[in-house]
Amino acid sequence: MNLAHLYYFRKLVEVRNYSRAAKELFIAQPTLSLAVSNLEKELGVALIKKKRNTLELTIDGEDLYEAVVVATNALDHAVSLIRERASLEFGVMTVGTVYSIQSQAWSEAIRDYREHSHSKVQFKWKQGTTESLMHELKNGSVDVIFAGVLGKGDSDVASIPCFTQRVALVVNRSHPLAGRAEISLNELRGIKLITYRNTAGPFAVEVNALLSKGSGLNVSCEYSDEITLCSLVTADPDVMAIACHSWLLDAFPDIVPIPVKEAPTDFHTFYLSYRKRERLPFAVEEFVSFMKGYEFKNASPRSGGGDMMISPR
């Protein structure tokens, strides 16, 4: 049975006019008539009967039409999915990242994905804060993000733990403490400390939990990123900062990061987040699947000690 003839038959039944159906199918009317005639010969029954100026289906014609609608709808849907998958396989996937995660460990994860994947998808990168990236993820501006999570997370977003970062006391290179291999919070009483703001963002819980382990600390929680914190420490040797040990700290030659004794190695966690829905685009699904099984390393610079591995989930 010729598939094209089935589509011709469906169109003819829908418009009930040979001339109009042929025009919409971009074929000659005799071609359409011959297709219907061939279907009737193959099935051995009449499918259409003429009645005055209109066309009516026979009982057999009605049965065939119902089957053709189901079959062609299913076929059209499958073709649409395949074409979408193919276009995404060779298309673009937008990945959002916070600035501080783009360390060597992060680059290695992306490289390993490219080597593993047979996809020809092109990446488009977008940088921002956890707050801005989460907003763009939810409105569909990005496909996946590497960032923190806000509060208790979001019911519309799935988040997979990936990289972790250590935390450090950031001091000016000229300060007497710059030569220390480790520092305890209780040694910092009375010293002017600055850190991330504690009213919003993913650092609030971690910073508050860490600072609660010290006593008599003079901490200003007003800043949003490591660049601002390090800039202030560079400008004033009497100021020290509690900051995640990201690669951004290496951009400041006049500061020294010192491990904090009370802080866990996995002080801050970054997640791969994506929108929850029944079916992810092929490229996004493959990317997420790979990252779910990937062994991530601590995103802090390697000079600070051994890498922490996050086991596959």
Side-chain angles (χ1 to χ4, degrees), residues 15 19 33 72 95 122 145 162 169 184 186 195 275 282 287:
V15 302
S19 177
S33 298
T72 53
V95 180
Q122 297 297 310
I145 64 172
C162 297
L169 175 71
S184 173
N186 289 327
T195 191
R275 294 183 301 279
F282 175 75
F287 185 77

Side-chain angles (χ1 to χ4, degrees), residues 213-257:
K213 297 178 182 180
S215 60
L217 299 178
N218 177 21
V219 187
S220 175
C221 304
E222 301 177 1
Y223 306 96
S224 61
D225 56 76
E226 294 89 76
I227 294 176
T228 303
L229 292 169
C230 290
S231 296
L232 293 172
V233 173
T234 297
D236 186 352
D238 292 328
V239 176
M240 301 181 190
I242 300 291
C244 281
H245 192 179
S246 75
W247 63 271
L248 292 170
L249 274 61
D250 295 337
F252 294 84
D254 294 328
I255 65 98
V256 175

Side-chain angles (χ1 to χ4, degrees), residues 7 14 16 43-44 49 62 69-70 83 109 115 143 148 153 159 174 218 242 253 266 270 272 297 302:
Y7 276 101
E14 289 171 348
R16 300 293 174 126
L43 295 172
K49 57 184 178 181
E62 290 177 353
V69 169
V70 172
R83 285 176 174 170
E115 292 180 352
D143 296 299
S159 297
S174 65
N218 177 21
I242 300 291
D266 55 342
F270 293 106
L272 171 67
K297 300 175 182 178
R302 292 178 174 177

Side-chain angles (χ1 to χ4, degrees), residues 4-25 27 29 31-37 39-40 47-50 54-57 61 65 68-69:
H5 291 176
L6 296 179
Y7 276 101
Y8 294 171
F9 176 70
R10 174 175 177 171
K11 175 61 69 175
L12 178 60
V13 173
E14 289 171 348
V15 302
R16 300 293 174 126
N17 182 279
Y18 273 94
S19 177
R20 182 181 168 190
K23 185 176 181 179
E24 292 186 13
L25 290 167
I27 60 174
Q29 184 171 329
T31 301
L32 175 59
S33 298
L34 180 61
V36 174
S37 177
L39 279 175
E40 291 178 326
L47 300 174
I48 293 175
K49 57 184 178 181
K50 293 183 179 180
T54 186
L55 299 177
E56 290 187 1
L57 293 176
Y65 174 71
V68 167
V69 169

